[in-house]
Amino acid sequence: MRIKARALSGDAQGLQQLAYPFVYRKYLDYGAFASMRSLHAQIRREVARRDLAENIKLGPGGIREIEFIAQVFQLIRGGKEAGLQLRPTRATLDAVAARNLLPPETVAQLQRAYELLRKLEHRLQYLDDAQTQALPENDIDRALIAEAMGAESWEALKTTLDAVRALVDMHFGKIFSTEEQPVDHASPWFNDEEAPSALVEFGYADPAAAAEQLQRFKHSQRYRSLPATSQARLDLLMPRIIEISAQHGQANETLSRMIALLEAISRRESYLALLTEYPDTLNHVARVCGASGWAAHYLTQHPILLDELLDTRDLMQQRDWPQLAQQLRQTLDDFPDPERQMDTLRHFKHAQTFHLLAQDLQGVLPLEKLSDELSALAECILAEVLRLAWASLSRKHCESPRFAVIGYGKFGGKELGYASDLDIVFLYDDDHPDAGITYARLAQRVNSWLTTLTAAGLLYETDLRLRPEGASGLMVSSLAAFEQYQNESAWVWEHQALTRARFVAGDAAIGAAFERMRRDIICRERDRAALRQEVLNMRQKMHDAHRNTSDLFDLKHDAGGIIDVEFLVQYLVLAHAHQYPQLADNVGNLALLIRAGELGLIAPEAAQKVSDAYRELRRQQHRLRMQGMDKARMALEELPVDIKAVTELWQAVFG
C-alpha cells in the first residue's frame, strides 16, 4: 500500500524518507514473490468467502492482479532502480517493459487490460454513485454499462471482459508460479546411506566424495541454524542441483562449486528465493560453475550477479558502452549518497564483468575483444568516478577540472584481464595558483573511490608507480612538469612504458597534448646499442624478480614467454620510430609486430610466428587463470613451437 501512498499535507519529503526504506529495499528482494503470493491467496479466500468472483478489482484476472504484477517488480528492484519508484500502475508497467523485466507483448496486454478494467470500474461507479467494482446483475443496468462502454450488447462486453480477465489471470499465474514445486525425497540429499550408489547413476566420477560433501553441508551448523523457510528452499533446490551438476562438465567439481555458492548465500533468503522462483536459473549457474573455477568463485563472491542470469538474451548481447554509461550516470544521480554511489559503481562493474564472462565462457568473445571490452568498462567507470570525485571537492577554483587520467600497461594497451589492476598517471594543465593543491586532492579522491573496500567489494586495485619519480613522486603532475621529466630525467624503461600509454578519462585537450608529447618522445632517435643494453638489463631485473624454480614453464615471466614479446616490441618501437613514425601508434603488440615485419625490421615470417605465439600464450594464460590458478604455468613440451618462435626472434634482435 505504501507504494501508492503520498502526503496530502505536511512534510512530503520527510514522509518519503521515512517510508521508502521499508518499501524499497537496498538489495534485490525476491522474497517479495512469496509475500505477495501469500497476500493474494488471502484475497482469493476472501473473494470466495464473500462470493466476489465477478468483482473486477478483487476477482480473478482483475485490477488488483495487474497492480500486483507491477508492484512485485517495484518491491524487488525499486531500491536499486529509482526509475521503478512510481505510483501510477501504467507508468510502472512502462518502466518494467523498458527494463526487459517482462516481454513487451505481455506488458502491452496488461496495459490494455488495465485500461479496460479501470474504464469499466468508473462506469460501474457512475451507475450507482458508489465505490463498487461488482458487475451488475439486472438486465437494465447491464445494458446501460454495455452502452457506456461502447459495446453492442452486454453479452459482447462480457465475452471481451472474460477473455481479458483470463489473459490477466494467466500472466499472473506465470509470474507468481502459483503451483507448488514438489520436493524430491528420493534424492541423495535426503538419503545418506544410499547417496554414493545413487550418485554413480547420475554420473559422478567420485560419488563417495560428492556424498561426503552433501552430508557435510546438510549436517553443518550453518544449515541447521537456518530459518525453516530457508531450509525448505534448500531442500527443494538441492535435488535439482545434484542432477544438474552432473550435466555440466566435471560433476564433482561443479557440485562442489555449487555447494560453495549455496553456503555463501544460505543466510540471504532473497537469493534462495530467486533460485526457487526462477528454477531455470540453476541451469545457467551450473553452466558457469562447471566451466570455470574462477567464474564460480566470482559468482560466489558477488551473488547479486545471480540476477543477471534471469535473462540470458541480455547476458549475451554486445555491450553498448555509451548507453550503459548513460544508465550508470542516471542511477548514480538518483542516489546521491556517496556510500550508495560507491556500491552502485561496484555493482555495475561486477554486472558488466559477468556479462563479458558469460560470453567468454560461451566462446563468443575472442580474447582480444574481451580485453577491449574490459578496457572500455574501466574507462566508463573512471569517467564517472572522476565526475563524482570532482563534485565532492568542497573547494574548487574552476567549474570543470583541467585534469586527465593516463592509462599505462595492460590498461594502456587494452589488454586488461578480469582481475587486472589499473596502471594510471594523473596530469593537469592549469596555471591557477591553487591548481596543484586542488588536483592533488582530486587525484587522491579518485584513487580512494577506486580502491576503497565496501560491502560490494572494490572497483580496481591501482598502481601509480609509473608517475614521475615513482612511489616517491607527487601523485599528480602538471603536463609541463611531466614532459620535462620525460625529456630530461626518465629512464629507458619509462619510455618503454610510454609505448603502451594512452588518455583514458578527463579533459580531452590534455589527452591530445599528452599523445603529441608521447609520440615526440617515442620518435626520438636513440643509440641502438645503448638502448639494446638498457632493455636487456631491465629484462634481466624482471627475470631475477620472478624466478621460476618449478618444472613448469611460466607463460608470463620465463624466457620465450609473454614479457619477452612485449620487450621485443618496445625495443623495436624505440629503436626505429624516428624513421618509421607509424610504430609510435598505440595499436597493440600484435599489430606492431606485423608492422615491424612489413617494414623489414624483422623477418615477416618471424613476425607472424611470434604474433601467433603471443596470441596463444595469452590464450593459455587466460585459460589457466579461468580455472582458478594463481600462476599461469604449464608443461614446456605443450608449447614448443610458440616458445621457439619467441626465443629465435629474441636471439635475432638482441644477439
Side-chain angles (χ1 to χ4, degrees), residues 291-312:
S292 165
W294 186 90
H297 180 66
Y298 193 75
L299 185 57
T300 301
Q301 279 188 310
H302 310 291
I304 195 172
L305 296 173
L306 290 168
D307 182 63
E308 302 298 323
L309 292 169
L310 298 184
D311 186 355
T312 54

Side-chain angles (χ1 to χ4, degrees), residues 69 73 90 92-113 167 171 175 311 313-314 317:
I69 290 171
F73 292 106
R90 300 195 66 182
T92 301
L93 287 171
D94 286 338
V96 166
R99 288 159 177 77
N100 295 315
L101 301 177
L102 285 176
E105 181 56 29
T106 296
V107 173
Q109 290 172 351
L110 292 172
Q111 289 278 28
R112 290 193 292 269
L167 194 64
H171 288 311
I175 292 166
D311 186 355
R313 295 169 303 172
D314 182 56
Q317 284 183 354

Side-chain angles (χ1 to χ4, degrees), residues 73-208:
F73 292 106
Q74 291 181 285
L75 293 176
I76 291 171
R77 297 174 176 274
K80 279 192 66 184
E81 301 182 43
L84 287 168
Q85 295 180 5
L86 304 168
R87 292 191 186 92
T89 298
R90 300 195 66 182
T92 301
L93 287 171
D94 286 338
V96 166
R99 288 159 177 77
N100 295 315
L101 301 177
L102 285 176
E105 181 56 29
T106 296
V107 173
Q109 290 172 351
L110 292 172
Q111 289 278 28
R112 290 193 292 269
Y114 190 74
E115 181 179 7
L116 175 70
L117 291 169
R118 288 303 304 271
K119 182 178 178 182
L120 177 56
E121 180 187 31
H122 293 156
R123 301 301 184 273
L124 292 172
Q125 293 176 358
Y126 294 157
L127 182 66
D128 291 327
D129 192 23
Q131 185 75 17
T132 181
Q133 294 88 23
L135 295 176
E137 297 181 356
N138 65 76
D139 292 340
I140 295 175
D141 287 347
R142 287 176 173 178
L144 288 171
I145 290 297
E147 182 181 0
M149 291 293 292
E152 293 181 1
S153 64
W154 171 253
E155 289 72 19
L157 174 62
K158 190 65 165 59
T159 299
T160 300
L161 181 61
D162 288 346
V164 166
R165 292 180 66 181
L167 194 64
V168 171
D169 196 45
M170 179 197 70
H171 288 311
F172 185 91
K174 283 184 177 180
I175 292 166
F176 284 89
S177 303
T178 52
E179 292 184 8
E180 287 290 328
Q181 300 177 48
V183 176
D184 182 8
H185 290 285
S187 167
W189 173 249
F190 295 103
N191 301 280
D192 292 356
E193 292 183 3
E194 299 175 10
S197 58
L199 291 168
V200 170
E201 296 180 12
F202 280 112
Y204 282 82
D206 190 347

Side-chain angles (χ1 to χ4, degrees), residues 217-233:
F217 181 32
K218 189 174 68 173
H219 298 295
S220 67
Q221 180 62 30
R222 178 184 293 272
Y223 173 82
R224 286 185 287 137
S225 63
L226 291 174
T229 53
S230 296
Q231 283 192 9
R233 285 188 168 119

Side-chain angles (χ1 to χ4, degrees), residues 13 30 74 96 114 131 135 166 169 211 270 332 353 461 500 569 588 598 639:
Q13 186 175 0
Y30 282 92
Q74 291 181 285
V96 166
Y114 190 74
Q131 185 75 17
L135 295 176
D169 196 45
S270 180
L332 290 167
T353 299
E461 294 282 3
R500 295 211 296 174
V569 172
E598 292 170 346
L639 295 164

Side-chain angles (χ1 to χ4, degrees), residues 572-641:
L572 292 170
V573 169
L574 293 179
H576 300 283
H578 71 282
Q579 188 178 0
Y580 304 106
Q582 59 266 47
L583 290 174
D585 296 342
N586 186 351
V587 291
N589 291 311
L590 295 173
L592 289 171
L593 275 169
I594 299 302
R595 284 189 187 183
E598 292 170 346
L599 293 169
L601 305 177
I602 55 177
E605 58 272 18
Q608 186 61 58
K609 287 181 181 179
V610 173
S611 179
D612 293 341
Y614 184 68
R615 183 180 284 109
E616 178 62 14
L617 288 166
R618 286 192 64 215
R619 190 183 73 80
Q620 293 292 350
Q621 180 190 51
H622 179 68
R623 179 184 65 82
L624 292 171
R625 287 180 174 168
M626 289 296 288
Q627 294 308 318
M629 297 184 182
D630 292 332
K631 294 183 178 179
R633 293 175 177 175
M634 57 193 299
L636 192 66
E637 56 269 20
E638 293 185 61
L639 295 164
V641 175

Side-chain angles (χ1 to χ4, degrees), residues 550-563:
S550 74
D551 295 330
L552 299 175
F553 178 76
D554 190 305
L555 297 173
K556 181 177 181 180
H557 296 289
D558 282 353
I562 290 171
I563 288 182

